[in-house]
Amino acid sequence: MAVREILKMGDPRLLRVAEPVREFGTPELEALIADMFDTMHAANGAGLAAPQIGVNLQLVIFGFKSNPRYPDAPQVPETVLLNPVLTPLSDEMEEGFEGCLSVPGLRGSVPRHTRLRYEGVDQYGNAIRREVDGFHARVVQHEVDHLLGILYPMRITDFSRFGFTEVMFPDLDPGADD
Ligand code: ZN
């Protein structure tokens, strides 16, 4: 297990469409997921997608009980999600601030679907199907975007709400800075 280097915006590997995972329960997959959790926890991330460490697979992890980077966010269950498919459950969208470990030091307000269903499998191939809203739905949309080569700044519509974390959120725990 190891903390891997997180690729930063500008790296073309973050712009690829990821390949589906076809083999489940393998030692290689277990090792990759362990590295992803180590990397996410070391950076206080709310989630991490495999392409962020240069692995072009449809694999995301997310979840936390509390997170210093998002002190007001409700708990999200720790989840390993492969080959995900998202289905919005209404036309309703909501704005909320996001950061990204691949875009360090910045935050931006991003419109996301308020409610959605996500489906996929875990690392053993067991089906996952959940209907979620709010911050949980936002985290899933952010992570699944990484599998499509989309970084959150590409989704911003109001650039007056995009800036440096230390300027826009000066009260945030300094250890929480990207
Ligand atoms: Zn991200």
Side-chain angles (χ1 to χ4, degrees), residues 52 99-101 142-143 146:
Q52 290 182 275
C100 179
L101 299 177
H142 178 115
E143 297 310 330
H146 279 296

Side-chain angles (χ1 to χ4, degrees), residues 67 132 150 155:
N67 188 304
V132 298
I150 297 169
R155 298 277 193 198

Side-chain angles (χ1 to χ4, degrees), residues 62-85:
F62 53 86
F64 53 87
K65 287 196 173 68
S66 66
N67 188 304
R69 295 178 67 240
Y70 300 94
D72 299 327
Q75 184 172 326
V76 175
E78 195 165 86
T79 302
V80 176
L81 181 64
L82 287 65
N83 305 342
V85 176

Side-chain angles (χ1 to χ4, degrees), residues 116-138:
L116 59 82
R117 177 168 56 241
Y118 64 90
E119 295 166 278
V121 295
D122 69 11
Q123 63 268 51
Y124 309 108
N126 300 310
I128 294 174
R129 184 177 194 274
R130 292 184 185 147
E131 295 185 356
V132 298
D133 59 12
F135 194 75
H136 190 159
R138 175 171 299 280

Side-chain angles (χ1 to χ4, degrees), residues 9 100 103 106 110 150-157 159 162:
M9 184 168 63
C100 179
V103 190
L106 295 164
V110 183
I150 297 169
L151 299 169
Y152 83 80
M154 300 172 179
R155 298 277 193 198
I156 293 175
T157 56
F159 282 93
F162 181 46

